Amino acid sequence: MKRFIAAMLAATALTASAAFAQGTVTVVTSFSKDVTDPFKAAFEAAHPDYMLEVQNKNTNAGVQYLQETKANNQADLFWASAPDAFYTLKSDLLLAQFTPSVEGLPDKVGSYDVNDPDGFFFGFAASGYGIMWNERYIEANGLAAPAEWSDLKDPQYFDHVVMAAPSRSGTTHLTVETILQGEGWNDGWGTLKEVGGNFQQVMDRSFGVPDAVNSGQAGIGIVIDFFAFSAQASGFPVGFSYPSVTTVVPANIAIVANAPNHDGAATFINFLLSDAGQEVLLEPTIRRLPINPATYAKAPEGFPNPFEDDRFQAMIAFNGDLSSARTDVVDVLFDQLVTFQLDNLKAATYALHAAEAAMEGKDNAEAAALIEEARALIAAMPVDQDQAISPEITDAFTGGDNKTARQSELEQEWASFAATNYTAAKAKADAALALLG
Amino acid sequence: MTNLAIGRLRSLRATPGQICVVLLIAAFLLAFLLVPTATVIYVAFTEKGTSTLTLVNFLDFFRNDLFVRSFWNSVYVSTLAVVWATVFALPLAVITTRFEFRGAMLIQTLGFLPLIMPPFVGAVAMQLLFGRNGSINLLLDQHFGIKLPFMDGLNGVVFVQSLHYFPFILINVSTSLRQIDSAMEEAAQNLGASGLRLFRRIIFPLAMPGYLAGASLVFVKVFDDLATPLLLNVKDMLAPQAYLRVTSIGLADPMGYVISTILIAVSIFAMWASVAVMKGRDYSTVQRGGGGLAKRKMRKGEAVLAYGVVTLVLLLVLSPHIGLLLLSFATIWSYSPLPDAYTLANYGRVLGESSVYIKNTLIYASVAGLIDVVIGGTIAYMVLRTKIIGREWLDWAAMSALAVPGVVLGIGYLRTYYGVTLPDGTPLATMSIMVIIALSVRRLPYALRACYAALQQISVSLEEAAENLGANKPRTVRRIVLPLMMGGVLAGFVTSFSTAAVELSATLMLIQSNSEAPIAYGLYMFMQSPAGRGPGAALGVIAVILVAVCTFASHYVIERSQKALGAKK
């Protein structure tokens, strides 16, 4: 028995060291097998002297992995969707600068910069945000397929909508930030909370949203397009539409600082951005929007093109500095006002919907005023636009010197603000309903 | 100083060999549990952005409504889960061990399966069956116009958790029941006790060590589990709150680690309490008859009832696996009671890759299980049979592994061992032996509790008798203690092995390449895309079957050895 164990240990040790053969390019990625396998095959066919070793970790785990292993880094590339993960790695000095040799790539997709201005990471694909629904679900529940973001406020969608928490999904965070920049701080949060009142759940990972819609647990999800496209390609009865104003976000790749195989990493990025690499994105299981405009010539009928489609150009210019200045504040606000207060928010929203339905076609100034007050209570924010980027608040999240309260104290303050307001809003809406009898 | 310490230990009748063993185990726990965890958790005691030590974060914890609510929710869910797990487990345990019952071994194995629910796919399968638009609710809605919220809110968590973890009680109680000598039962019967009274006054108390071992595991495991609450999207419980904070990108927020620290403290307290309950009571019996309780033949009515109860419970607890099986053969399954059509393609897709996953899983889980029973058995022996100072600390330290979130342990390993390299530059943390050690540390509590319960049932007088006859300590352990507690040791091995086979959270951090990945990791890679759901489920079924076969084999061994003992008598 002892000898058996010793032999097994020796065997496992051997397999561990074999992974670092010559010409191996190690990539840490959050992408699924469906995405990485075709790229691995295409890359190794184009460059037979290299072998792509895929280490699959979710985005957060990948970032933590690189942070913990920096002293003796073994990874060559980091490959994921969420831009904020790349910002974190860049500010931790964990990425290497690089200039791809591929030419003819655009600087912007929609309103976002494709590449990091300092050359630390590069967009290789784009994805638009939109609304995905389960055809069987909405038919069984007698719902109309939503077309616009504002449709999701409609009472008919109460308890049918799901979305990922921005604190858990970098791409969702960008969408929230885009709404806040497009509509302004107060109106933007008003929209988010009105839609939030219709949530069935707030998911803790991006893929949770399409997963719930695919299986029919939820009817409607706010998702990145490729989740819907690849679900359709797999045969799920789901529909998808881009709203007339949408956001498009780049998915990125970067070379890790002190990469053991820097040349191999560079070769892979250049391959990824080349025609051959970009075409892999069109595969049915991947279906991401290529960053190289020329590739769209080979795309199938009806494939969206963010470089020509007006919906992607309609966005206001995105202010990246503003976004990164208040990232933590926006995430925590969303969690404390929506995610962790979902029961209260939904109760208030339900009462409000009922009162508004009763108000239909009636003239009752008192009830109307109550409804208006309830609406204002739900929309109210504990911090305004200026406070959100003030050092007094932001330092609570970064541990800086200007903070006036610890993060936990702020969270408690915001949560009780929301809970009190939602409860009061429900009371007012109930009172209005009683008046309308 | 050292001399003094050793001198004091000697005065407490510890042999040098015992001291050596304790030190070895302490070193193992220190190196692979306490130090790695401490390197991550210490953030809880520092002020954010600085390294100043403070306790203010703990004050914040109790001032924050969300955290306090989460704390009480976790207590509520864990307590109710223990109650329901008992309801599921006791009938199965009693019927299969106390009666002549066809297929008892099969039931023991099947009843064990819920523990080996692979991550992600298990969640999807549960939602497809019991979710608000799962098969059952769709059918109810179609025929009666109602829906039952099986999986909504805290009670949903209780429902799923008690289905998931009741095997801890089943396996420990069954083992305990088998250890009870039939003479005790006969004596009670001679004195006129029978039926329920016999069970309540004699059988159940004698099986108490096993029940407490199982129940405390269920409590702590449910308290610390984050997969199920996250699956049901219940976020106001402690473990998910810790997880959501620890795994968000950006600067470490101390509160995540504060919650982890509190989880660890509660777990240790629960374990201490379950030991305290037993204190001063002796459940050991001198006679080791073998064969365990006399197995009664059932009357016809009893048999019908028994089979009915067993079928009902099994159907309920195995429903996730039935869902998983359906999913693995399904083409598309969306908002319908059953899949649209069936196919073998999902298995075709995973077949080529699965052999390497299976090999790795078997190696990792079996070595981890072996390490666990060796260390767990030794700790149990030290605690119950010696007076070495610090033996309880070993016990509690080992049990605290239950509460350390996998991701914290994974990061701790990277932080502690990535800088340590082999001569060729390979970091120690990237070797698969580290995966094995991480698995064994995480599953050590299961083996430890099983061995502990087994040893509690053995009377010290048997060992004293052996020593009086001239056997030394090692010989006594080898010839008397080990054979008598074999059932418990095997139960511990099976629990550790099978749960290690589907573990993911710590390994996700440590796995370096596909060639050394276990099944759970392969599953994870599939379950990130819509097209991967079927193949993921197929891989899940393979994992379940693999572990079930191994479990069945060890039950077979247990039964055989019990029968052999009985025959000798």
Side-chain angles (χ1 to χ4, degrees):
Chain A
M1 192 66 205
K2 260 184 206 151
R3 201 180 301 161
F4 170 64
I5 297 174
M8 280 201 296
L9 294 187
T12 46
L14 271 179
T15 53
S17 52
F20 301 101
Q22 206 71 49
T24 299
V25 183
T26 307
V27 50
V28 173
T29 180
S30 68
F31 296 133
S32 71
K33 251 178 122 52
D34 282 333
V35 176
T36 56
D37 277 358
F39 275 109
K40 180 176 159 67
F43 176 65
E44 287 173 1
H47 299 273
D49 37 337
Y50 286 115
M51 197 187 93
L52 195 70
E53 177 72 51
V54 177
Q55 286 194 29
N56 202 293
K57 303 190 190 313
N58 65 47
T59 310
N60 299 334
V63 170
Q64 277 169 332
Y65 179 77
L66 291 183
Q67 287 171 337
E68 297 298 339
T69 61
K70 62 185 170 201
N72 185 9
N73 174 47
Q74 303 288 328
D76 299 310
L77 290 160
F78 185 71
W79 194 22
S81 284
D84 52 344
F86 288 85
Y87 281 117
T88 306
L89 289 174
K90 180 185 164 188
S91 66
D92 288 354
L93 307 178
L94 292 175
L95 299 181
Q97 269 174 321
F98 173 62
T99 314
S101 61
V102 182
E103 300 197 342
L105 299 178
D107 292 333
K108 274 183 182 288
V109 54
S111 48
Y112 294 91
D113 290 328
V114 169
N115 301 320
D116 175 46
D118 303 320
F120 282 100
F121 53 88
F122 313 94
F124 74 95
S127 308
Y129 250 81
I131 304 168
M132 171 183 181
W133 60 87
N134 186 310
E135 304 277 8
R136 295 178 190 170
Y137 184 108
I138 63 169
E139 195 192 48
N141 288 282
L143 305 175
E148 298 289 338
W149 298 124
S150 55
D151 288 351
L152 296 177
K153 300 175 185 173
D154 193 290
Q156 69 168 320
Y157 297 120
F158 183 79
D159 209 25
H160 293 307
V161 185
V162 286
M163 179 176 151
S167 57
R168 308 286 305 162
S169 154
T171 45
T172 309
H173 174 83
L174 280 184
T175 304
V176 167
E177 183 63 42
T178 311
I179 292 175
L180 292 180
Q181 291 196 13
E183 299 190 17
W185 181 262
N186 286 324
D187 292 346
W189 277 111
T191 302
L192 285 170
K193 283 194 266 185
E194 268 187 83
V195 175
N198 281 338
F199 282 165
Q200 183 191 89
Q201 289 172 347
V202 180
M203 298 295 184
D204 60 71
R205 57 193 195 117
S206 314
F207 187 65
V209 178
D211 218 19
V213 176
N214 284 341
S215 65
Q217 295 311 312
I220 296 156
I222 298 170
V223 296
I224 318 185
D225 51 11
F226 65 82
F227 280 138
F229 296 148
S230 55
Q232 284 171 332
S234 316
F236 285 98
V238 293
F240 176 81
S241 81
Y242 292 111
S244 57
V245 172
T246 184
T247 67
V248 61
V249 293
N252 302 289
I253 187 158
I255 301 183
V256 181
N258 303 321
N261 191 349
H262 187 91
D263 293 343
T267 310
F268 184 74
I269 294 191
N270 281 327
F271 169 79
L272 192 59
L273 299 175
S274 71
D275 289 343
Q278 291 282 296
E279 273 172 45
V280 180
L281 292 167
L282 301 175
E283 294 219 358
T285 54
I286 304 182
R287 295 273 300 201
R288 297 197 187 207
L289 313 181
I291 211 73
N292 189 340
T295 310
Y296 288 91
K298 299 180 182 105
E301 192 72 27
F303 202 84
N305 182 342
F307 299 102
E308 288 172 1
D309 196 323
D310 286 342
R311 290 176 297 194
F312 298 94
Q313 309 299 332
M315 291 293 314
I316 42 91
F318 185 80
N319 184 340
D321 292 338
L322 178 62
S323 167
S324 45
R326 64 190 189 191
T327 303
D328 293 326
V329 181
V330 168
D331 282 349
V332 171
L333 274 173
F334 192 95
D335 275 346
Q336 296 301 328
L337 305 183
V338 180
T339 312
F340 299 140
Q341 289 294 334
L342 196 57
D343 289 343
N344 287 331
L345 176 59
K346 281 171 78 170
T349 306
Y350 188 77
L352 188 63
H353 286 167
E356 282 175 334
M359 190 74 196
E360 200 77 27
K362 286 191 189 135
D363 190 22
N364 184 327
E366 198 183 343
L370 281 169
I371 289 177
E372 222 30 63
E373 284 170 39
R375 190 176 284 287
L377 276 169
I378 294 177
M381 289 301 292
V383 283
D384 65 28
Q385 185 160 5
D386 297 329
Q387 286 171 322
I389 48 168
S390 68
E392 286 79 19
I393 301 272
T394 54
D395 276 11
F397 296 94
T398 56
D401 295 332
N402 296 312
K403 63 171 184 268
T404 50
R406 289 183 300 279
Q407 180 179 340
S408 176
E409 293 176 309
L410 280 183
E411 288 176 1
Q412 166 65 14
E413 191 187 314
W414 295 346
S416 65
F417 174 91
T420 316
N421 276 5
Y422 295 155
T423 312
K426 182 177 184 305
K428 289 202 188 288
D430 285 341
L433 185 63
L435 281 176
L436 296 161
Chain B
M1 177 69 209
T2 328
N3 281 342
L4 198 84
I6 291 176
R8 219 163 61 206
L9 286 176
R10 271 216 189 106
S11 71
L12 286 161
R13 286 181 302 159
T15 66
Q18 287 173 350
I19 295 171
C20 254
V21 169
V22 165
L23 287 180
L24 268 179
I25 292 180
F28 177 85
L29 291 177
L30 206 64
F32 297 115
L33 174 62
L34 301 181
V35 169
T37 308
T39 60
V40 182
I41 288 265
Y42 83 96
V43 178
F45 299 92
T46 59
E47 203 161 316
K48 191 181 222 171
T50 68
S51 48
T52 326
L53 288 180
T54 174
L55 284 176
V56 73
N57 299 321
F58 287 85
L59 203 63
D60 278 346
F61 176 91
F62 291 103
R63 279 194 198 136
N64 190 310
D65 293 343
L66 178 64
F67 295 150
V68 173
R69 189 171 79 216
S70 303
F71 178 82
W72 289 115
N73 284 346
S74 286
V75 172
Y76 167 84
V77 165
S78 312
T79 313
L80 275 190
V82 170
V83 172
W84 282 105
T86 308
V87 171
F88 293 136
L90 280 192
L92 289 190
V94 171
I95 291 172
T96 50
T97 51
R98 298 251 307 137
F99 295 97
E100 291 279 350
F101 196 77
R102 274 173 170 279
M105 208 161 63
L106 187 68
I107 290 164
Q108 286 281 339
T109 305
L110 289 180
F112 191 75
L113 283 189
L115 270 191
I116 44 177
M117 200 67 226
F120 297 105
V121 272
V124 176
M126 284 292 269
Q127 286 284 9
L128 282 168
L129 286 179
F130 293 109
R132 76 159 70 185
N133 295 311
S135 311
I136 292 185
N137 272 325
L138 285 179
L139 289 174
L140 282 176
D141 195 35
Q142 234 167 40
H143 295 290
F144 307 103
I146 50 160
K147 286 191 176 185
L148 295 175
F150 296 107
M151 307 218 351
D152 279 1
L154 292 180
N155 290 326
V157 181
V158 172
F159 171 66
V160 179
Q161 294 287 37
S162 42
L163 285 189
H164 191 170
Y165 288 118
F166 89 97
F168 282 134
I169 298 185
L170 173 66
I171 193 164
N172 282 304
V173 170
S174 303
T175 313
S176 277
L177 285 174
R178 285 204 197 90
Q179 301 291 343
I180 299 172
D181 195 285
S182 51
M184 304 303 279
E185 192 185 7
E186 283 156 17
Q189 281 169 332
N190 287 343
L191 292 169
S194 65
L196 259 187
R197 184 180 162 84
L198 174 71
F199 180 77
R200 195 165 47 86
R201 298 295 297 272
I202 306 294
I203 309 291
F204 192 70
L206 284 174
M208 203 60 176
Y211 176 73
L212 274 179
S216 55
L217 267 185
V218 173
F219 183 90
V220 173
K221 198 58 215 169
V222 173
F223 201 85
D224 298 329
D225 181 51
L226 54 94
T228 301
L230 284 181
L231 143 73
L232 302 182
N233 253 291
V234 173
K235 298 194 183 68
D236 40 4
M237 288 177 61
L238 275 193
Q241 279 292 331
Y243 171 81
L244 291 178
R245 279 162 187 274
V246 170
T247 60
S248 288
I249 299 180
L251 190 87
D253 169 29
M255 293 318 285
Y257 301 102
V258 169
I259 302 173
S260 299
T261 311
I262 287 176
L263 285 174
I264 294 172
V266 171
S267 305
I268 294 178
F269 173 78
M271 285 300 153
W272 172 84
S274 79
V275 172
V277 167
M278 296 288 293
K279 217 157 211 156
R281 300 183 193 192
D282 189 0
Y283 291 96
S284 60
T285 46
V286 179
Q287 294 98 327
R288 310 302 298 173
L293 291 169
K295 291 198 173 178
R296 272 182 46 210
K297 283 222 163 54
M298 280 182 284
R299 285 187 295 263
K300 193 141 189 220
E302 283 178 338
V304 171
L305 186 71
Y307 276 100
V309 169
V310 167
T311 314
L312 201 72
V313 174
L314 277 188
L315 209 59
L316 193 60
V317 299
L318 288 184
S319 50
H321 295 77
I322 298 169
L324 185 66
L325 195 67
L326 282 173
L327 191 61
S328 73
F329 286 112
T331 50
I332 292 295
W333 191 357
S334 172
Y335 203 81
S336 59
L338 286 174
D340 295 1
Y342 300 90
T343 171
L344 283 173
N346 295 330
Y347 286 90
R349 184 145 177 238
V350 297
L351 219 53
E353 295 165 63
S354 55
S355 64
V356 62
Y357 297 146
I358 290 175
K359 187 195 82 191
N360 289 334
T361 305
L362 283 180
I363 295 177
Y364 294 169
S366 53
V367 178
L370 277 179
I371 296 177
D372 283 347
V373 289
V374 170
I375 296 183
T378 315
I379 294 179
Y381 184 82
M382 292 297 160
V383 172
L384 291 171
R385 291 294 189 265
T386 70
K387 300 247 183 293
I388 293 183
I389 292 172
R391 60 195 191 283
E392 275 117 347
W393 287 99
L394 281 187
D395 187 6
W396 291 335
M399 290 312 290
S400 70
L402 218 46
V404 177
V407 57
V408 167
L409 198 68
I411 294 173
Y413 275 35
L414 288 181
R415 206 168 275 184
T416 318
Y417 296 108
Y418 209 82
V420 186
T421 54
L422 297 181
D424 69 341
T426 318
L428 199 57
T430 64
M431 296 184 49
S432 18
I433 180 71
M434 292 310 267
V435 177
I436 297 179
I437 292 179
L439 287 176
S440 66
V441 165
R442 275 179 63 73
R443 299 312 185 218
L444 177 58
Y446 301 168
L448 171 56
R449 287 274 71 85
C451 295
Y452 194 93
L455 194 57
Q456 255 178 335
Q457 286 189 310
I458 305 172
S459 173
V460 192
S461 10
L462 291 169
E463 289 154 71
E464 286 163 358
E467 281 175 45
N468 285 343
L469 291 171
N472 58 11
K473 278 262 185 251
R475 191 174 159 84
T476 313
V477 169
R478 204 172 64 243
R479 298 296 298 275
I480 307 292
V481 181
L482 257 186
L484 286 176
M485 62 186 283
M486 210 46 184
V489 170
L490 264 175
F493 175 79
V494 166
T495 326
S496 293
F497 165 83
S498 55
T499 49
V502 291
E503 141 86 38
L504 181 69
S505 54
T507 43
L508 190 59
M509 270 287 164
L510 300 172
I511 293 294
Q512 299 293 310
S513 75
N514 216 14
S515 57
E516 51 185 289
I519 281 186
Y521 179 85
L523 251 171
Y524 167 77
M525 293 208 294
F526 275 115
M527 291 307 285
Q528 300 299 311
S529 69
R533 203 164 83 167
L539 210 48
V541 170
I542 294 175
V544 171
I545 291 177
L546 184 71
V547 181
V549 166
C550 297
T551 310
F552 189 81
S554 26
H555 278 300
Y556 187 72
V557 172
I558 298 178
E559 289 278 305
R560 280 284 289 270
S561 61
Q562 297 280 349
K563 280 206 181 112
L565 269 173
K568 263 185 219 155
K569 184 186 172 195

